[in-house]
Amino acid sequence: MGEQLRIRRITAYCLLAVCAMTVAMIAADFAGPVRPVVILLFVGTVPGWALISYLNVRHLSVTWISAVGLSLSISIVVAQFLVLTKLWHPGPAVVLLATFTIPLLVHHVLRSRPAEAGAR
């Protein structure tokens, strides 16, 4: 169980970095070749992982497959909403998605911290 918590914590830290890079690139209107890669990485993995990790799936591969599927589903719903409401502004939508995702990732970091030595 301790190894799973360590992996969850490290993954949450890495995905928080992806969130931060995504928001920073959109806010700075960065147009380099790395922007699409970072944003696609965010949209394709981060929201789903932040949600699916609450289920404590035993197999890491199942967690990631589910995270990608859930992330893509969330992205499709957001995009469909933007199209139907004629509010097609994907940059702010991605920033809003990151805003909802960051607290979930921070919670994963906090709940997967190793137990204190004095707490035993």
Side-chain angles (χ1 to χ4, degrees):
M1 185 68 171
E3 183 68 16
Q4 277 184 325
L5 291 177
R6 187 179 72 79
I7 291 171
R8 182 184 300 141
R9 188 176 64 254
I10 291 170
T11 304
Y13 275 127
C14 292
L15 294 178
L16 274 169
V18 171
C19 277
M21 288 189 316
T22 299
V23 171
M25 286 182 179
I26 291 172
D29 201 23
F30 179 75
V34 74
R35 178 179 170 158
V37 174
V38 171
I39 291 176
L40 284 173
L41 180 65
F42 169 77
V43 169
T45 58
V46 179
W49 189 90
L51 292 172
I52 206 72
S53 288
Y54 283 108
L55 298 180
N56 291 326
V57 180
R58 288 184 187 263
H59 300 288
L60 200 54
S61 60
V62 175
T63 299
W64 278 105
I65 290 169
S66 302
V68 169
L70 186 56
S71 289
L72 294 176
S73 299
I74 291 168
S75 300
I76 289 169
V77 169
V78 169
Q80 189 67 35
F81 174 78
L82 293 176
V83 168
L84 290 176
T85 59
K86 296 181 174 71
L87 296 173
W88 186 252
H89 301 288
V94 171
V95 170
L96 188 64
L97 187 58
T99 303
F100 286 120
T101 305
I102 289 171
L104 297 175
L105 293 172
V106 169
H107 183 253
H108 284 303
V109 167
L110 295 177
R111 79 180 189 130
S112 62
R113 285 185 303 182
E116 298 294 330
R120 291 183 183 187

